[in-house]
Amino acid sequence: MGPAVPYPGSSVVQQCLRVPELQHIVFDLLHDQPEGPSTLAALARTARFFQEVALDTLWNAQSSLVPLVRCFPPHLWTESRDDDAIRVVSMVALPTADDWTRVKLYASRIRILRLGLSSASARHLEGKLSGESYVVLKESLGLEPFLPNLHSFEWAQSQTNETHDVVYFQLLLNPRVSTMELVMKKWSDKSVQAVASALNEYRPTAHHLRSITFTCPSCPLVENAILALAQSRPNLQDLVCTLESKMSLQTVTYLSKLNSLQRVAIHVDRETAQEVLEQAKNTSGTFFSALHSLALHTESLEICEDWLSTIRSPCLDCLSFIVDEPPKAATLHDFLVRLASRVLHSGGVRELRFVSTKPAPRMFAEHTVTPATLEPLLPLDLVALRLESGAAVDVDDAFIERASRAWRRLRVLELGAELRRYVMHPRVTLTGLLPLAENCPDMEALALPFVADASAYQSKFDAGDRPFDGLSFKLRPSFTLGVGGAVVSDDTETFILAGVLSDLCPGLKTFQTAWDRAGKVVDVDSATLDVERQDIADRWRQVDRFVVEMARVRRQERMWLEWVYKLA
């Protein structure tokens, strides 16, 4: 056999493949494929000029520290299974300097640590790290950063031992972090103090920090540490926190003058809100001048309207208003009229959320939201509308159809699906949801009470036909359906109802209902407290079990049909 003839232009191809920028593009595409990680690992072993970029891409984003800990010598860690049969990796000895060599090679490449990066099934296979392992790692490292190039991380309470969670949090802090998302539950005073201390110690070195997201029921010490951290960053872009404590005048004033701030959540009382507005009137162009997203928690709609008219950002397109007192429908309508007028003149609002922290009196119709209340929003080009007004939302099929035609880019629609039940029966039917499937192809979350009666589709179901003749929401990666306080009667065939809903929402993976609390309530006024119905809750649980599994079958069916059509 003669010598191999080189492919024309092969040297040019080889030269192109040696360009790191091109490698990043190609390897990023590979990583998103089902077998992407294993392919990248093979590329890293195949050619030396592939190795650096392949390893960077492979380790760039992780959902846990388990793969990294497995890079220690085998005698330093063990593997077991917990009660749920999930793999648990545990460090059993302190690593030496030599043991860290390989781990540090990969640790320096991790830039993103996100709990939700992998699916539940993938996390089940990957396993989790034991709480004691964080303590071992921290003790071994001392003051040296564990992930020296980490740019973005998500930290949430995951261990049964609070001490281990705190140590894990300390491991993630380093001067290069630009984005942090913290989720805390109700903790002991000692753990709260430890987290607050860690944040305060981290503050002088947080030179690259640009985005802070913080969620916690009530934690004044940590809230103060978060706000102090935010005020130390002159280039802060995001501060989204669910704060129980109200912000001070000094904090809000500082945030309002940041020309880099794009997303912010503000919690203020009436007095502070008015003082801030008075100061803003004496300045020019510096009151939240670059804001894209505002979440304002205050006492009334009047204050919200004053803030909205004072903010000077032309980019504001995401609004969330949280008030402590439920407004009457007429008041909400007038507010939406003025909001829509401002939006139409100054630019579009894509996302709108309105929440009342207190429920309206159950029997007062003047708080009930009707189609007339929401009419001013129809001229807008909304992508998301979330309405939790603390009162019943009484819309019908006709309004849903008009809304679907007006908001064709709609992705999220939530109307009165919060955890409160009302005497009023919903007027939206299953058929009334079809215009949303037809006119809003990008829909990924729908939550509103509707008439849970699928008897009209019994004959089609028995005949094996599609209930809606093939019309359904698109096959989204993850569709969420909420039914609010909709009632399932005792004569409803829950299997039929689940079959109809799964056909309408083939991408359904999350099902939500307001009937998820059980137990008798005694010595209370039934006119002011939600009525608990164990029988309704049980029937919705049956629907939940059926509909998620049936939707999975629908997805498999769709993917199989698409594959057949491609072959044809």
Side-chain angles (χ1 to χ4, degrees):
M1 181 179 295
V5 179
Y7 182 80
S10 60
S11 60
V12 177
V13 174
Q14 291 178 4
Q15 292 177 10
C16 289
L17 290 177
R18 290 176 181 269
V19 178
E21 291 79 7
L22 291 178
Q23 289 181 3
H24 275 292
I25 294 174
V26 174
F27 292 174
D28 284 343
L29 293 174
L30 280 175
H31 189 267
D32 294 335
Q33 303 302 313
E35 301 298 327
S38 59
T39 303
L40 287 173
L43 285 170
R45 295 189 296 266
T46 300
R48 185 168 299 176
F49 59 82
F50 283 161
Q51 187 179 75
E52 289 301 311
V53 177
L55 289 177
D56 282 345
T57 306
L58 187 64
W59 285 96
N60 179 66
Q62 297 293 314
S63 60
S64 81
L65 297 178
V66 170
L68 188 61
V69 170
R70 288 176 181 271
C71 294
F72 279 112
H75 68 275
L76 293 179
W77 55 273
T78 62
E79 183 178 294
S80 59
R81 291 188 181 269
D82 63 9
D83 295 338
D84 297 322
I86 296 178
R87 301 173 188 269
V88 179
V89 176
S90 303
M91 297 285 295
V92 295
L94 282 175
T96 64
D98 291 339
D99 295 332
W100 276 100
T101 303
R102 184 183 178 209
V103 174
K104 289 183 177 180
L105 173 67
Y106 301 136
S108 62
R109 302 176 190 272
I110 298 178
R111 289 169 171 77
I112 300 173
L113 190 61
R114 284 286 186 274
L115 302 178
L117 278 177
S118 60
S119 64
S121 59
R123 289 195 297 271
H124 192 279
L125 293 173
E126 186 178 75
K128 62 183 180 181
L129 200 61
S130 69
E132 294 83 356
S133 299
Y134 299 122
V135 178
V136 173
L137 292 171
K138 180 65 176 174
E139 183 179 349
S140 176
L141 285 166
L143 298 178
E144 185 179 353
F146 180 41
L147 305 174
N149 294 315
L150 186 67
H151 290 177
S152 174
F153 73 82
E154 175 186 290
W155 172 76
Q157 183 175 359
S158 57
Q159 305 292 331
T160 56
N161 188 311
E162 294 180 2
T163 303
H164 297 158
D165 280 320
V166 173
V167 174
Y168 179 33
F169 177 58
Q170 293 170 336
L171 283 172
L172 299 179
L173 296 176
N174 76 74
R176 291 184 177 273
V177 169
S178 61
T179 302
M180 61 167 61
E181 298 181 22
L182 315 179
V183 179
M184 291 182 63
K185 300 177 183 178
K186 190 168 181 61
W187 279 17
S188 66
D189 292 342
K190 182 179 179 181
S191 297
V192 167
Q193 180 64 57
V195 173
S197 298
L199 288 169
N200 291 330
E201 293 173 4
Y202 170 64
R203 191 194 317 154
T205 64
H207 306 299
H208 294 272
L209 190 62
R210 299 290 185 272
S211 177
I212 304 173
T213 302
F214 174 68
T215 303
C216 182
S218 178
C219 206
L221 273 178
V222 178
E223 290 177 6
N224 292 335
I226 289 288
L227 292 178
L229 180 61
Q231 292 184 70
S232 69
R233 306 272 49 87
N235 296 319
L236 189 69
Q237 295 179 353
D238 303 322
L239 178 62
V240 182
C241 304
T242 56
L243 302 178
E244 290 293 327
S245 306
K246 295 179 176 63
M247 291 182 174
S248 66
L249 175 62
Q250 178 185 1
T251 299
V252 180
T253 302
Y254 174 82
L255 294 173
S256 70
K257 296 179 180 179
L258 291 179
N259 293 325
S260 59
L261 193 64
Q262 298 180 10
R263 295 196 308 148
V264 69
I266 303 290
H267 186 189
V268 289
D269 56 24
R270 180 183 296 273
E271 182 180 352
T272 302
Q274 291 175 343
E275 289 185 28
V276 171
L277 292 178
E278 285 298 323
Q279 291 183 2
K281 293 177 182 178
N282 300 323
T283 60
S284 57
T286 57
F287 190 68
F288 295 107
S289 57
L291 206 60
H292 288 242
S293 173
L294 169 67
L296 178 60
H297 183 177
T298 187
E299 296 176 15
S300 67
L301 278 180
E302 178 186 359
I303 300 175
C304 295
E305 187 174 346
D306 290 341
W307 269 62
L308 191 59
S309 62
T310 308
I311 290 176
R312 301 191 176 103
S313 172
C315 309
L316 192 59
D317 60 3
C318 181
L319 296 171
S320 178
F321 298 111
I322 306 171
V323 296
D324 294 329
E325 294 295 334
K328 295 181 179 180
T331 304
L332 179 59
H333 172 270
D334 294 343
F335 172 77
L336 295 179
V337 168
R338 290 187 286 271
L339 170 64
S341 176
R342 178 193 184 280
V343 169
L344 292 174
H345 284 90
S346 61
V349 167
R350 298 184 304 108
E351 300 181 24
L352 179 61
R353 179 177 181 237
F354 178 80
V355 178
S356 173
T357 60
K358 295 181 181 178
R362 188 186 290 268
M363 304 303 295
F364 285 72
E366 57 190 4
H367 289 86
T368 300
V369 177
T370 65
T373 311
L374 303 176
E375 182 83 20
L377 296 178
L378 292 179
L380 307 183
D381 185 19
L382 292 180
V383 174
L385 174 61
R386 298 177 175 90
L387 183 63
E388 305 168 28
S389 62
V393 179
D394 183 26
V395 295
D396 55 13
D397 289 353
F399 176 80
I400 294 298
E401 182 174 8
R402 293 179 62 200
S404 70
R405 296 183 184 279
W407 307 325
R408 292 184 177 270
R409 295 196 302 155
L410 195 66
R411 289 180 177 271
V412 178
L413 179 62
E414 299 177 3
L415 298 177
E418 66 266 30
L419 297 182
R420 184 168 174 83
R421 274 80 76 175
Y422 299 92
V423 175
M424 183 175 298
H425 298 288
R427 293 192 291 152
V428 177
T429 65
L430 286 170
T431 304
L433 300 178
L434 293 182
L436 290 171
E438 182 177 6
N439 299 320
C440 306
D442 296 325
M443 202 80 171
E444 57 190 35
L446 174 64
L448 78 165
F450 55 82
V451 180
D453 182 9
S455 58
Y457 305 98
Q458 178 75 52
S459 58
K460 285 191 174 184
F461 197 90
D462 293 340
D465 297 330
R466 299 281 299 278
F468 303 114
D469 298 323
L471 181 61
S472 67
F473 290 106
K474 280 190 175 180
L475 197 61
R476 307 293 300 177
S478 181
F479 192 94
T480 298
L481 177 65
V483 299
V487 175
V488 181
S489 60
D490 55 2
D491 59 349
T492 298
E493 289 286 348
T494 56
F495 186 77
I496 302 297
L497 178 60
V500 172
L501 292 175
S502 67
D503 188 71
L504 179 64
C505 314
L508 181 65
K509 289 188 179 179
T510 304
F511 182 83
Q512 301 170 344
T513 173
W515 297 99
D516 58 358
R517 292 179 294 174
K520 293 184 178 180
V521 181
V522 296
D523 299 330
V524 295
D525 182 2
S526 61
T528 61
L529 189 68
D530 295 343
V531 177
E532 304 296 346
R533 290 284 302 274
Q534 181 67 46
D535 55 336
I536 297 177
D538 289 342
R539 285 193 284 273
W540 275 124
R541 276 191 284 269
Q542 290 179 6
V543 174
D544 185 4
R545 287 194 294 269
F546 290 146
V547 70
V548 173
E549 184 63 24
M550 296 172 81
R552 184 184 65 81
V553 176
R554 300 287 188 189
R555 290 192 294 274
Q556 292 177 343
E557 178 186 72
R558 297 282 182 88
M559 290 187 288
W560 183 81
L561 288 174
E562 290 177 2
W563 179 72
V564 171
Y565 291 150
K566 287 180 181 180
L567 290 180

